[in-house]
Amino acid sequence: MSAGADALSPPTSSLTWRLSSWASSLRFEDLPERVVELAKSQVLSQLAAIRAGRVHDLGRRLVAAFGEPLQADPARGACVLATLGAWLNLDDTAYAGHLSPSTVAVPLAYAHSLRLDGARLLTAIVAANECAARVTAAATLGPFRGQTAAHTSVVGAVAGRLHCTGQPAAGWVDALGLALAMPPWTLLPGFLGGDARAISGLVPVRAAMDACDAAAAGLRAADDILEHPGGFLDRFAAVPLPEVVTARLGQRWHTDTLSFKIRPGGPGIDSAVDCALALRDMLPAPEPDEITEILVETSAYTMYVERQLAAQGPGPMLPAGVLPLSVPYAVATALLTGRLTVADFATPARHDPRRWRLAARVRLVEDPGMTRDLIGSDAPFGDALRQAGERAKPWLAGFVGARAAEQITTLGPPAATFTDATKHTGSRVTVRLADGGTLTARRDIPIGAAGPDTRATHRELVRSKFAATGGPPDVAETCAALDHASSARVAAMIRAALRID
């Protein structure tokens, strides 16, 4: 058992203890400059996602159900911030997991309530990123992908809150142990079959907030909940990777693997839409009947997501909260309108028969080369494959096929650092026209995804994303200098960012 309220109990060597000890003692001075810069962009990007999620009709219903994002109780406000910033798939991801709905939302709520300065806010976010990404990476070779891996937000929320409140490691161990004793297990038919996906950010964050309250009141937890036989990794991973939870702490920064979402859309949509928008420049104001077919060649990952969505029934019947996962709808919309925004997932746009007529002509096929690139990149699960080696073959064969699984032997060792991390979720889009013409575009790393271009341009990308939501320019200015911002300026920034006219 963990030390809990008993300060005299010695720490153990469990994974939770070692991770908590490191994260709870993390200070701003420990963070590399590049990590600080990425975290600043992460704040502005997630504020944009929250604003976008709130103005949609579904977002307004979430606020009606759970209250405004800033509340007297920061724990409750954190839950609202988490859910508003998640459901449109505008939240930022990493290797591994959808981090920002918990790792940014929770520190924002507590920074506002506790009047933390910018350096403390950024440190809490990075600490939460590292904890959530590492636990998610340890269970990545398992049944849950992306937002269905709700445990990412459980860990991120606990770490984000407790770093803000300055809790010692013992409190982290108990809160994490209590939260992971009964972790959410996502049921895909419910996640995709109604509006449950809209609260995928709220449910795990609320559980985390309750666990923090329980630990503060003296409830204790099993400190070996991660690695115990029958514990979290045993149940949530087909190939558990406990070693990655504490691998090279302070040297291998998972924050380096951040990918920034610049428009709504689920896994694999980004690159296909990038291509569609490039082709739209060659097709001014096309009509559906001018296009006979749209071929989207992509990796097995995007094919997997599309198969899950297709099982839910015809595209026009998809719930609003699930529509951002549809490649055919997103590509058709981008070709017809030259954009893909929040409004495209709301009424009346989402019922536009022209879009669905063209979406019916979108055909997805796997490109084996793109699958190879996916497996070889760090995100979304390539580094886990390198860590697992031969052990991962059965899992990968079930996910992308036996032939692709043979590539594991060529991947090499896990990365020592993530400074050069990439996320290859590519697509090639070919538009066949009724007049016999053909147009093609290809994108291997989506705009905003982890890679050299994003490392060079993330500041500009997230500024544009925030501005597109009508966000005040002074908020972007504060974020750019967040490491030097006073507590008063941070609080004012958060209020201004969340004000919707």
Side-chain angles (χ1 to χ4, degrees):
M1 303 297 286
S2 74
D6 183 359
L8 298 179
S9 297
T12 74
S13 60
S14 72
L15 293 176
T16 310
W17 258 109
R18 285 186 284 166
L19 184 63
S20 297
S21 297
W22 176 82
S24 63
S25 63
L26 188 67
R27 296 296 175 260
F28 183 78
E29 295 74 20
D30 302 325
L31 308 181
E33 182 179 354
R34 69 180 188 281
V35 169
V36 171
E37 292 301 312
L38 285 164
K40 289 193 288 188
S41 288
Q42 189 183 3
V43 171
L44 190 61
S45 182
Q46 194 60 17
L47 286 170
I50 292 165
R51 289 178 61 86
R54 185 178 179 183
V55 298
H56 190 285
D57 178 62
L58 188 51
R60 289 191 287 270
R61 281 184 274 155
L62 291 167
V63 170
F66 303 110
E68 293 292 331
L70 293 180
Q71 303 187 23
D73 177 7
R76 188 170 178 87
C79 295
V80 179
L81 288 167
T83 197
L84 290 177
W87 76 267
L88 272 170
N89 266 82
L90 264 171
D91 55 313
D92 303 316
T93 65
Y95 170 71
H98 283 245
L99 302 184
S100 294
S102 61
T103 66
V104 175
V106 175
L108 282 174
Y110 278 86
H112 184 268
S113 176
L114 300 174
R115 295 299 188 263
L116 304 183
D117 65 22
R120 284 197 62 188
L121 170 60
L122 289 168
T123 310
I125 288 169
V126 174
N129 283 345
E130 297 302 315
C131 291
R134 286 166 174 275
V135 172
T136 305
T140 281
L141 305 181
F144 298 115
R145 306 257 58 78
Q147 289 183 337
T148 65
H151 47 270
T152 304
S153 290
V154 170
V155 176
V158 169
R161 171 174 166 173
L162 296 189
H163 201 283
C164 284
T165 57
Q167 294 299 306
W172 290 55
V173 172
D174 281 326
L176 287 169
L178 291 168
L180 291 175
M182 292 166 279
W185 184 278
T186 304
L187 300 178
L188 200 57
F191 185 78
L192 296 177
D195 287 330
R197 185 176 166 274
I199 57 172
S200 64
L202 181 142
V203 171
V205 171
R206 176 164 285 177
M209 296 299 96
D210 289 343
C212 289
D213 288 338
L219 276 71
R220 302 178 68 178
D223 67 359
D224 59 351
I225 191 66
L226 289 173
E227 68 268 38
H228 192 284
F232 173 77
L233 290 177
D234 183 60
R235 291 291 183 262
F236 276 72
V239 186
L241 301 173
E243 62 273 21
V244 307
V245 175
T246 56
R248 301 178 68 84
L249 286 165
Q251 300 174 59
R252 195 167 101 133
W253 298 88
H254 283 248
T255 302
D256 274 323
T257 70
L258 278 171
S259 291
F260 298 96
K261 296 299 291 288
I262 63 170
R263 61 179 75 91
I269 282 181
D270 312 62
S271 56
V273 173
D274 290 340
C275 293
L277 291 175
L279 296 175
R280 176 62 164 74
D281 292 338
M282 309 175 200
L283 287 169
E287 288 297 325
D289 290 342
E290 297 175 25
I291 298 172
T292 59
E293 184 185 48
I294 303 167
L295 177 66
V296 178
E297 298 168 276
T298 188
S299 73
Y301 186 38
T302 303
M303 297 296 297
Y304 171 83
V305 175
E306 189 60 28
R307 285 195 300 273
Q308 306 309 309
L309 205 62
Q312 303 307 310
M317 303 302 293
L318 291 174
V322 178
L323 190 56
L325 304 179
S326 171
V327 173
Y329 178 81
V331 168
T333 296
L335 282 170
L336 289 175
T337 69
R339 67 174 190 275
L340 187 67
T341 68
V342 176
D344 294 309
F345 297 96
T347 302
R350 74 187 190 94
H351 297 300
D352 179 359
R354 295 170 65 252
R355 302 184 189 206
W356 288 110
R357 195 158 71 247
L358 187 57
R361 296 171 190 168
V362 175
R363 181 165 63 94
L364 272 70
V365 298
E366 182 187 352
D367 181 305
M370 290 182 181
T371 297
R372 283 195 299 273
D373 290 342
L374 168 80
I375 292 170
S377 65
D378 300 282
F381 49 76
D383 197 74
L385 298 177
R386 292 196 291 268
Q387 193 78 36
E390 292 283 338
R391 291 182 294 152
K393 272 190 177 180
W395 178 86
L396 189 59
F399 189 52
V400 299
R403 181 176 298 178
E406 293 302 319
Q407 296 173 48
I408 285 179
T409 58
T410 69
L411 294 181
T417 74
F418 287 132
T419 53
D420 297 318
T422 60
K423 182 179 183 180
H424 284 264
T425 49
S427 294
R428 181 191 300 106
V429 176
T430 301
V431 175
R432 297 193 169 98
L433 304 173
D435 65 7
T438 299
L439 299 171
T440 301
R442 174 172 178 155
R443 184 96 195 177
D444 292 316
I445 298 178
I447 297 174
D453 289 348
T454 297
R455 281 189 284 277
T457 62
H458 61 86
R459 302 163 190 83
E460 294 78 14
L461 288 174
V462 300
R463 272 179 174 263
S464 296
K465 174 181 176 178
F466 187 71
T469 68
D474 59 328
V475 170
E477 293 300 325
T478 298
C479 266
L482 192 55
D483 43 334
H484 303 294
S486 66
S487 58
R489 191 175 181 193
V490 169
M493 176 197 77
I494 295 170
R495 289 193 298 272
L498 298 179
R499 190 177 302 121
I500 304 294
D501 297 327

